[in-house]
Amino acid sequence: MNRSPRKEREWKEREARILEVARRLLMEHGYLGLKMDQIAAEMEYSKGTIYQHFSSKEDVIMELAAQTIEKRLELMARASEYKGRPRERIAALGVAVELFVRRFADYFRVEQIIRADSIREKAAQERQEKLTACELRCMGIVSGIVRDGIAAGDLTLPEFLTPEQLTFGMWSLSFGGSSIIVTGQLGELGVEEPFQAIINNIQMLLDGLNWKPLSYETDYPQTMERIAEEMFSDLLDDARTP
Amino acid sequence: MNRSPRKEREWKEREARILEVARRLLMEHGYLGLKMDQIAAEMEYSKGTIYQHFSSKEDVIMELAAQTIEKRLELMARASEYKGRPRERIAALGVAVELFVRRFADYFRVEQIIRADSIREKAAQERQEKLTACELRCMGIVSGIVRDGIAAGDLTLPEFLTPEQLTFGMWSLSFGGSSIIVTGQLGELGVEEPFQAIINNIQMLLDGLNWKPLSYETDYPQTMERIAEEMFSDLLDDARTP
Amino acid sequence: MNRSPRKEREWKEREARILEVARRLLMEHGYLGLKMDQIAAEMEYSKGTIYQHFSSKEDVIMELAAQTIEKRLELMARASEYKGRPRERIAALGVAVELFVRRFADYFRVEQIIRADSIREKAAQERQEKLTACELRCMGIVSGIVRDGIAAGDLTLPEFLTPEQLTFGMWSLSFGGSSIIVTGQLGELGVEEPFQAIINNIQMLLDGLNWKPLSYETDYPQTMERIAEEMFSDLLDDARTP
Amino acid sequence: MNRSPRKEREWKEREARILEVARRLLMEHGYLGLKMDQIAAEMEYSKGTIYQHFSSKEDVIMELAAQTIEKRLELMARASEYKGRPRERIAALGVAVELFVRRFADYFRVEQIIRADSIREKAAQERQEKLTACELRCMGIVSGIVRDGIAAGDLTLPEFLTPEQLTFGMWSLSFGGSSIIVTGQLGELGVEEPFQAIINNIQMLLDGLNWKPLSYETDYPQTMERIAEEMFSDLLDDARTP
DNA sequence: CATGAATGAGCCTTCATTCAT
DNA sequence: TATGAATGAAGGCTCATTCAT
């Protein structure tokens, strides 16, 4: 049946609110702590209403996962369009990923939880594939830029490292670092400014590959600052306060 | 109180078997899927018997975690005693960590699950601290070698990177990469030999920092081969078959 | 949140039924024999439904206890308002307490079980205090009448007996006697009409203290008959059939 | 098979210790809190050994009950042999009962718990009857003295009170009072010296029945003091410290 | 005899999901 | 369409009792 535009709008708003609440509960209490009852209670709607939007708890969680990767993909896609030399575009991706983790820490946490628990298995095939496809596109964006770098003559990979392997390296550094940060025990381990540390480590890695322009040949921090302001001004409000 | 040696031995063997089964179930079905009933069923023992060894489900999981980190720490400690130049000792650590993830993939998976889920919070304070203390020692081993490198004049860190931050970078690369590998969707993404890729990326990172001897100045692959054979011969049997 | 009046009524009725069933099971099988499963089965509702009314088994039992003492306090308070000389008002209390034990034998049994078992310790502090406060008020009613008797010149207590000690004596006789009756092995011991015996013993006790009017100066049985009919007509139906 | 005298003695000693431990646990933690495991642990014997003495948990508890009433009967029988006028012999019983509750509070508590819980039902028929028979003998002792009083011309019961009913009255006062004392909330209710209060209330009751010699005609406190010293000197050590 | 590991029925409690109103 | 009472399978844990050593 057709809904009036107003109804339709309200419907979507409610769906968004459900996911919001669910994401917070998932972060705060883990997979076990996410309870349909509690979502309903916090929304001040009834459980029945939640079930009108999502057919099961699994469904809620998979939608959360979908939101997450779409969010990240969106940011990465935006960054990849930066007009500049390939290594600068990698820097743009760095900006995007850092912003994603900082500004949407809860999204990232969701990804991590879902990755760890064997929820994927239970999820519908279709959803499953959607997630993998999305990851593929993320990798594609990065390795595309690596190839651009090679094509532009800025970078020559040693024979023992394929573009995918380099991409995998940067992804690992970024994902692993963010995981450790988000999980939280970092303070006690004496690592200052971990986000900046991730970026600096990646820069050193690219320097090691002799990807031009090298980190001391250009002012990357300034470039990234500019990228953040030009391309992601809408997300900057509180991201600076670590 | 006093058990005969035979009883004592049987007791320990059974405890080991419980943890084995638990680890497998944890891997296969995640935290939620680990059920005391099922452990008992698979062991062909009764629930009561399991509870004679571990006072709760949480207790089982924390013991699993303890095993994991002790295992890793043991391997890292062994590697750190390699007699060689600092960067070679880092390579030895690489060997250790790769062996850990490959040979004890299920241990690593446990670590990952525990890190993601909010199990830590529920765990007894004492266990908690033991885990953190262990992580601290792991980091200490690595950053100690970094400082040795600096002291030996082999490495000069740029001002924007502290030894802890570099350690964090290598840890991130290693942990993140292993996570992605173990979680499994890598085949479809076109990344070949991911373990080697992690090591190569780390080498490039250290080259980028100009840590002597650079990767093309020495035959690191051969060094690592030798380290593996000399220091970890007991673990090599099936580690080569990926 | 807001329930319709009908729903509200049904809810309360069901709650009452749960307590009814619980009280019966508690009487029949003791504290140990009270099983949530069985309550549900006898009600022909599911366990979950019981838990929507009471958060735990303990909660059910404490509510039962609360009902009991409120019931008794209510009857005693009613009796204490009898217009007559203090010793007649004591007689009115006797009527009330007998009615309580006879008409609400199951309530009394609950009190006894709760007093004996170490349930009180487990109960929430708040509930705890409520019970004690209620007992205090019961004692207060009685010792108040004792003091009235003294003030009216009807009674002079010997120096070795305070009003509280006399109250304690009557309470003991009444509670002890009722306990023995309710527990059941009395028939075989040759004690006829035990309820009347309790009252007569109390009368002799008060005669021993020379509390005017003495038992042979007034027709207390007739007075009590009248009190029962005037003040507790609503509870008389089956109380006569012992 | 025959046991050597030494073995036999050790066996009995162990049985006594089991019951001791069991009684303490029953008092401290109630029926639920009495666990065969814990008895064994505290005894530093194994569970199997306990089961060589008692065939079940029920058995342990019933033996505890048997000990209790035998203890009380023993004390009452001793007291009933006091050479004096009937009312003095009642006073001697008062001494006995008070001593029983004070000196063997844990025994009394056991009786109370067993009376409240529906353990009796589960107990073997034989045990059951033993308990009732014992109670009968206790009552018999008291009502025998009442009849002696009547026969001696010291007491004339009103027509509405049989010797058994009077006995029931004193039993109620004593049992009820002790119950309330042992359960513990008395301090807050302002009743001083509750044991003495029980005795004084009984004295007033007997005065009310005009049982000679009346309480003010003889120095009962002194008589009771003497009885305690002459007949129960073996139990007096700490009974005076309330 | 003593031991204590093994058993397993049984209990309390939780929570995703359904459906009558 | 919204509600929330009802459901009941499932899971963690306990503890009396047995029996091989």
Side-chain angles (χ1 to χ4, degrees), chain B residues 11-203:
Chain B
W11 179 268
K12 289 208 166 155
E13 275 167 16
R14 196 168 41 243
E15 187 146 322
R17 273 199 58 216
I18 294 173
L19 290 169
E20 238 169 69
V21 171
R23 196 179 307 115
R24 184 163 50 75
L25 291 177
L26 190 61
M27 277 185 64
E28 281 173 15
H29 308 116
Y31 176 61
L32 277 159
L34 180 61
K35 284 154 205 171
M36 299 303 265
D37 281 33
Q38 207 179 339
I39 296 178
E42 300 236 355
M43 296 222 12
E44 302 196 305
Y45 273 99
S46 75
K47 260 182 298 186
T49 303
I50 312 289
Y51 275 92
Q52 223 135 26
H53 288 263
F54 300 95
S55 66
S56 72
K57 180 176 162 175
E58 218 83 87
D59 207 39
V60 174
I61 292 186
M62 291 315 289
E63 188 55 37
L64 242 31
Q67 278 194 337
T68 299
I69 53 171
E70 271 161 20
K71 202 79 176 175
R72 192 180 51 187
L73 185 55
E74 176 201 320
L75 262 58
M76 287 180 67
R78 230 207 274 186
S80 73
E81 287 177 0
Y82 178 70
K83 309 290 182 213
R85 291 178 68 174
R87 184 161 168 179
E88 285 171 335
R89 291 169 64 210
I90 291 286
L93 284 179
V95 171
V97 170
E98 180 181 346
L99 265 172
F100 171 70
V101 178
R102 292 180 90 134
R103 184 91 170 77
F104 306 105
D106 40 2
Y107 282 73
F108 178 74
R109 191 84 176 81
V110 166
E111 185 180 356
Q112 208 190 169
I113 290 172
I114 289 169
R115 189 175 288 278
D117 245 296
S118 50
I119 303 169
R120 289 177 93 122
E121 297 166 16
K122 295 180 211 151
Q125 185 65 17
E126 193 203 359
R127 298 267 204 192
Q128 250 315 1
E129 284 165 7
K130 195 174 159 194
L131 286 186
T132 304
C134 220
E135 272 171 1
L136 209 55
R137 289 180 57 197
C138 286
M139 277 213 66
I141 289 175
V142 185
S143 55
I145 298 178
V146 172
R147 286 178 206 282
D148 287 350
I150 294 168
D154 288 352
L155 165 70
T156 309
L157 283 181
E159 59 200 13
F160 53 78
L161 208 64
T162 66
E164 277 70 30
Q165 286 176 325
L166 171 56
T167 300
F168 172 60
M170 293 189 284
W171 179 19
S172 297
L173 223 162
S174 169
F175 173 73
S178 304
S179 284
I180 297 166
I181 290 171
V182 166
T183 314
Q185 280 78 25
L186 215 48
E188 313 157 27
L189 301 181
V191 178
E192 311 282 323
E193 297 203 63
F195 283 111
Q196 195 53 49
I198 292 175
I199 285 174
N200 288 338
N201 273 288
I202 291 179
Q203 293 289 24

Side-chain angles (χ1 to χ4, degrees), chain D residues 1-204:
Chain D
M1 56 207 88
N2 279 324
R3 262 190 289 263
S4 76
R6 185 180 58 75
K7 288 264 177 179
E8 183 66 23
R9 185 161 25 86
E10 284 175 6
W11 182 265
K12 291 215 163 150
E13 275 168 16
R14 192 159 59 222
E15 185 146 326
R17 276 198 57 217
I18 294 173
L19 290 168
E20 233 171 76
V21 171
R23 194 180 310 115
R24 207 189 63 241
L25 292 177
L26 190 61
M27 273 188 65
E28 282 174 12
H29 309 115
Y31 181 63
L32 277 156
L34 179 62
K35 285 157 205 169
M36 299 303 267
D37 282 38
Q38 210 179 337
I39 296 178
E42 301 229 359
M43 297 249 332
E44 300 196 310
Y45 271 98
S46 76
K47 269 182 293 186
T49 304
I50 311 283
Y51 274 88
Q52 222 120 36
H53 289 262
F54 300 95
S55 68
S56 72
K57 179 178 165 177
E58 216 82 88
D59 208 37
V60 174
I61 290 186
M62 290 317 289
E63 190 54 37
L64 242 31
Q67 278 195 335
T68 298
I69 52 173
E70 272 161 20
K71 201 77 175 179
R72 193 178 50 187
L73 185 56
E74 175 200 322
L75 262 58
M76 286 179 69
R78 228 206 274 186
S80 72
E81 288 178 0
Y82 177 68
K83 307 295 180 207
R85 291 177 68 177
R87 183 160 169 181
E88 287 171 337
R89 291 167 65 210
I90 291 286
L93 285 179
V95 172
V97 171
E98 179 182 345
L99 266 171
F100 172 70
V101 178
R102 294 179 88 136
R103 185 89 171 77
F104 305 106
D106 40 1
Y107 282 74
F108 178 75
R109 193 85 177 82
V110 166
E111 186 182 355
Q112 208 191 171
I113 289 171
I114 289 170
R115 191 176 286 279
D117 249 296
S118 52
I119 302 168
R120 292 175 90 122
E121 296 166 16
K122 296 179 212 152
Q125 184 67 19
E126 189 203 1
R127 300 268 202 192
Q128 200 42 290
E129 284 163 9
K130 192 175 161 193
L131 286 185
T132 305
C134 218
E135 272 170 1
L136 210 54
R137 289 179 59 197
C138 286
M139 277 211 68
I141 288 175
V142 185
S143 54
I145 298 178
V146 172
R147 286 178 208 284
D148 287 350
I150 294 169
D154 286 354
L155 165 69
T156 309
L157 283 181
E159 59 201 11
F160 54 77
L161 208 65
T162 66
E164 277 69 29
Q165 287 178 322
L166 172 56
T167 301
F168 172 60
M170 292 188 286
W171 180 19
S172 298
L173 223 162
S174 169
F175 173 73
S178 304
S179 284
I180 297 167
I181 290 171
V182 166
T183 314
Q185 280 79 27
L186 216 48
E188 313 158 26
L189 301 180
V191 179
E192 312 282 323
E193 296 202 65
F195 283 112
Q196 194 54 48
I198 292 175
I199 285 173
N200 289 338
N201 273 287
I202 290 180
Q203 293 289 23
M204 293 302 99

Side-chain angles (χ1 to χ4, degrees), chain C residues 12-207:
Chain C
K12 289 207 165 156
E13 276 168 15
R14 197 168 42 242
E15 187 145 324
R17 275 199 58 218
I18 294 173
L19 290 170
E20 238 168 70
V21 172
R23 198 181 303 117
R24 185 163 51 73
L25 292 176
L26 191 60
M27 277 185 63
E28 282 174 12
H29 309 115
Y31 177 59
L32 277 159
L34 180 62
K35 285 153 204 172
M36 299 303 265
D37 281 34
Q38 207 180 337
I39 296 179
E42 299 236 355
M43 297 225 6
E44 302 197 305
Y45 274 98
S46 74
K47 262 180 297 187
T49 304
I50 312 289
Y51 275 90
Q52 222 134 26
H53 287 263
F54 299 96
S55 66
S56 73
K57 180 177 163 176
E58 218 84 87
D59 207 38
V60 174
I61 292 186
M62 291 316 287
E63 188 55 37
L64 242 31
Q67 278 194 338
T68 297
I69 52 171
E70 272 161 19
K71 202 75 173 179
R72 192 179 53 185
L73 186 54
E74 176 200 320
L75 263 56
M76 288 181 67
R78 229 207 275 187
S80 73
E81 287 179 359
Y82 177 69
K83 307 293 182 211
R85 291 177 67 175
R87 186 161 165 180
E88 286 171 337
R89 290 168 65 208
I90 291 285
L93 284 179
V95 172
V97 170
E98 180 183 345
L99 266 171
F100 172 69
V101 178
R102 293 180 88 134
R103 184 93 171 76
F104 304 106
D106 41 0
Y107 281 74
F108 178 75
R109 192 85 177 78
V110 166
E111 186 181 354
Q112 209 191 165
I113 290 171
I114 288 170
R115 188 175 288 280
D117 246 296
S118 51
I119 304 170
R120 290 177 92 122
E121 296 165 16
K122 296 178 210 152
Q125 184 66 18
E126 192 201 0
R127 299 266 203 193
Q128 247 321 353
E129 286 165 6
K130 195 175 158 193
L131 286 186
T132 304
C134 219
E135 272 170 1
L136 210 55
R137 287 180 59 196
C138 286
M139 277 212 67
I141 287 176
V142 185
S143 54
I145 298 178
V146 172
R147 286 177 207 284
D148 288 349
I150 294 168
D154 289 352
L155 166 69
T156 308
L157 284 181
E159 59 200 13
F160 54 78
L161 209 65
T162 66
E164 277 70 29
Q165 286 177 324
L166 172 56
T167 300
F168 172 59
M170 293 188 284
W171 179 20
S172 298
L173 223 163
S174 168
F175 173 73
S178 304
S179 285
I180 297 167
I181 291 171
V182 165
T183 314
Q185 281 76 26
L186 217 46
E188 314 157 26
L189 301 180
V191 179
E192 311 282 324
E193 297 202 63
F195 283 112
Q196 194 55 48
I198 293 175
I199 285 174
N200 289 337
N201 273 289
I202 291 180
Q203 292 290 22
M204 292 304 98
L205 166 56
L206 301 187
D207 277 5

Side-chain angles (χ1 to χ4, degrees), chain A residues 27-32 109 112-113 115-118 120-122 128 132 135-136 139 158 160-162 164-181 183 185-186 188-198 200-202 204-209 215, chain B residues 27-33 109 112-113 115-118 120-122 128 132 135-136 139 158 160-162 164-181 183 185-186 188-198 200-202 204-205 207-209 215:
Chain A
M27 274 188 65
E28 283 173 11
H29 309 115
Y31 181 64
L32 276 156
R109 193 85 177 82
Q112 208 192 169
I113 290 171
R115 188 176 287 277
D117 249 297
S118 54
R120 292 176 89 123
E121 295 168 15
K122 297 179 211 152
Q128 202 38 295
T132 305
E135 273 171 359
L136 210 54
M139 277 213 65
F160 53 77
L161 209 64
T162 67
E164 278 68 30
Q165 286 177 323
L166 172 57
T167 300
F168 172 60
M170 292 190 284
W171 179 19
S172 298
L173 223 164
S174 168
F175 173 73
S178 303
S179 284
I180 296 166
I181 291 171
T183 314
Q185 280 79 26
L186 216 47
E188 314 157 26
L189 302 180
V191 179
E192 313 280 324
E193 298 202 63
F195 282 112
Q196 194 53 47
I198 293 175
N200 289 339
N201 273 288
I202 291 180
M204 293 303 99
L205 166 57
L206 301 186
D207 277 6
L209 289 162
S215 68
Chain B
M27 277 185 64
E28 281 173 15
H29 308 116
Y31 176 61
L32 277 159
R109 191 84 176 81
Q112 208 190 169
I113 290 172
R115 189 175 288 278
D117 245 296
S118 50
R120 289 177 93 122
E121 297 166 16
K122 295 180 211 151
Q128 250 315 1
T132 304
E135 272 171 1
L136 209 55
M139 277 213 66
F160 53 78
L161 208 64
T162 66
E164 277 70 30
Q165 286 176 325
L166 171 56
T167 300
F168 172 60
M170 293 189 284
W171 179 19
S172 297
L173 223 162
S174 169
F175 173 73
S178 304
S179 284
I180 297 166
I181 290 171
T183 314
Q185 280 78 25
L186 215 48
E188 313 157 27
L189 301 181
V191 178
E192 311 282 323
E193 297 203 63
F195 283 111
Q196 195 53 49
I198 292 175
N200 288 338
N201 273 288
I202 291 179
M204 292 302 100
L205 165 57
D207 276 5
L209 289 163
S215 68

